[in-house]
Amino acid sequence: MSGKGNKIEEEEEETKVVHHWSHEHRLTLGEPRIGEGCFGCGRPFSGGEKVYACRCWPVDIVLDEECLGMPRKIRHAMHPQHILTQHVFSFDDYDDGTLTGKLCAICESSLINTEGRIFYNCMKAECRLWMHMRCAQGSDMMYDAADDDDDEQHRTIDHPSHPNHGLKLVRRSCRFKCDACGITRGGKSYMCCKPNCQYWIHESCASLPQTIESEYHSHSLSLSFHVPPRYMKWNLKCDVCGKYLPSKYWIYHCELCSYVVHLKCAFNPTRYVVINILVSLFRRCLAKLISQSLKRITYNFFFKSL
């Protein structure tokens, strides 16, 4: 047999035998037994399905391909402040030897009678959070935390919007609602280092300049991390889009003349300006049409009735 053929056979053999952190022996690709389910997600297997398993006494393990490939450490939008790690649930994990206190953080179902199953959990004393592997899945909710030891990932900054705590740079693919702009999207972000503080902002918002120049206003605009009380008292709206200003989100404003705009309107005002111009033209045309119609009706009523 040629060298190329040997290499193909070796690659095929490698895909049939794999290692998994939860078991001391290698797992072999094969078919499940009747009534078996995945030790990761708990899903019962169907006939003819391919699984990875080790049939060793007294403890065996069977995993489907999806659970086998899931990262051992993740960050999840449900618990963004700490890394969640895969863990084999056992009797030792019950609180004080009782069958209480263990629920999946997402579906809230009990973990009773799931010994030997693999879950994601946070082992911080103040958390002790558990999560089914299948509940944790979803590209917009979790990402692999294996690279979180990188210096860039753990770069901490002090930001004036959150002066009492430091903010840690985190790369994630999940979507979240930013505490600065109020927009829900993914990407790199900064979150508070304190476990019980949920402050979380986009990296782009954390880098916003304190002052900007606008072509639609003659004065410089200053960044404010909340809407000033006097603006709320006066019931001011954004001078670009005309919408209300939620008090907890950041704004740019002119302190001299109370010109105020949302963050998104400060940097992308063109479409709102065009919309406002079109709306204004429509209102003028409508007012003119109504005025002409009223004149015609009045003329017909007074003169044609004579």
Side-chain angles (χ1 to χ4, degrees):
M1 184 179 291
S2 66
K4 184 177 180 180
N6 289 331
K7 184 177 181 180
I8 292 174
E9 286 187 359
E10 290 175 2
E11 289 176 350
E12 290 178 347
E13 187 65 27
E14 287 177 0
T15 63
K16 296 179 181 179
V17 180
V18 297
H19 291 275
H20 192 264
W21 67 268
S22 65
H23 200 69
E24 60 180 328
H25 303 141
R26 292 181 299 176
L27 309 185
T28 304
L29 183 64
E31 294 187 0
R33 295 173 179 171
I34 297 175
E36 275 189 328
C38 177
F39 278 41
C41 62
R43 178 181 63 84
F45 296 122
S46 57
E49 188 173 354
K50 295 297 182 181
V51 300
Y52 287 88
C54 178
R55 315 289 187 184
C56 60
W57 189 89
V59 180
D60 60 358
I61 180 173
V62 187
L63 292 170
D64 61 29
E65 189 172 6
E66 187 173 11
C67 289
L68 180 72
M70 289 188 69
R72 186 175 182 187
K73 295 183 178 182
I74 64 168
R75 283 196 181 273
H76 197 278
M78 179 67 72
H79 193 69
Q81 62 267 41
H82 298 140
I83 290 176
L84 304 182
T85 306
Q86 286 185 5
H87 178 84
V88 178
F89 192 70
S90 68
F91 284 106
D92 295 334
D93 293 310
Y94 289 121
D95 292 334
D96 302 322
T98 65
L99 301 181
T100 60
K102 291 293 184 294
L103 301 175
C104 172
I106 295 180
C107 70
E108 298 185 347
S109 61
S110 174
L111 273 60
I112 294 175
N113 298 326
T114 58
E115 296 79 21
R117 286 267 305 277
I118 301 171
F119 295 87
Y120 282 110
N121 85 317
C122 176
M123 295 302 293
K124 297 288 185 180
E126 66 271 23
C127 299
R128 301 292 294 178
L129 176 139
W130 294 82
M131 191 179 294
H132 289 119
M133 289 182 68
R134 184 164 292 278
C135 291
Q137 292 173 2
S139 59
D140 61 336
M141 294 295 290
M142 59 163 274
Y143 78 95
D144 191 342
D147 298 329
D148 266 14
D149 291 330
D150 186 274
D151 289 339
E152 182 188 14
Q153 300 301 325
H154 276 92
R155 183 161 59 89
T156 302
I157 64 169
D158 293 318
H159 198 275
S161 67
H162 198 65
N164 297 325
H165 304 150
L167 302 181
K168 179 177 63 176
L169 178 66
V170 179
R171 175 181 57 80
R172 59 183 64 250
S173 59
C174 66
R175 294 162 61 84
F176 70 97
K177 191 171 186 178
C178 176
D179 287 317
C181 64
I183 296 174
T184 300
R185 62 176 173 81
K188 286 186 177 181
S189 60
Y190 279 99
M191 66 169 55
C192 184
C193 296
K194 296 294 182 180
N196 296 325
C197 183
Q198 301 297 318
Y199 191 74
W200 196 357
I201 61 176
H202 298 131
E203 182 190 30
S204 57
C205 291
S207 305
L208 289 174
Q210 288 297 120
T211 60
I212 61 170
E213 302 295 331
S214 173
E215 61 179 303
Y216 300 102
H217 192 71
S218 56
H219 304 137
S220 298
L221 303 182
S222 301
L223 180 64
S224 176
F225 304 125
H226 64 275
V227 178
R230 66 181 184 277
Y231 291 178
M232 301 301 295
K233 182 179 180 180
W234 298 338
N235 202 27
L236 293 185
K237 298 180 181 179
C238 174
D239 282 300
V240 171
C241 70
K243 296 181 180 179
Y244 285 102
L245 305 166
S247 60
K248 67 177 182 177
Y249 296 126
W250 302 2
I251 59 168
Y252 274 104
H253 68 126
C254 174
E255 298 180 3
L256 295 175
C257 54
S258 299
Y259 178 88
V260 57
V261 294
H262 298 116
L263 294 188
K264 63 179 180 180
C265 297
F267 294 97
N268 187 26
T270 305
R271 67 188 183 101
Y272 294 108
V273 171
V274 171
I275 290 173
N276 286 339
I277 291 173
L278 292 176
V279 170
S280 180
L281 287 173
F282 173 76
R283 286 175 176 171
R284 289 197 194 107
C285 292
L286 183 62
K288 187 175 181 179
L289 180 62
I290 292 174
S291 177
Q292 292 175 345
S293 298
L294 287 174
K295 288 180 180 178
R296 190 178 299 110
I297 292 171
T298 302
Y299 175 82
N300 291 336
F301 179 78
F302 284 103
F303 294 98
K304 288 191 175 183
S305 61
L306 294 177

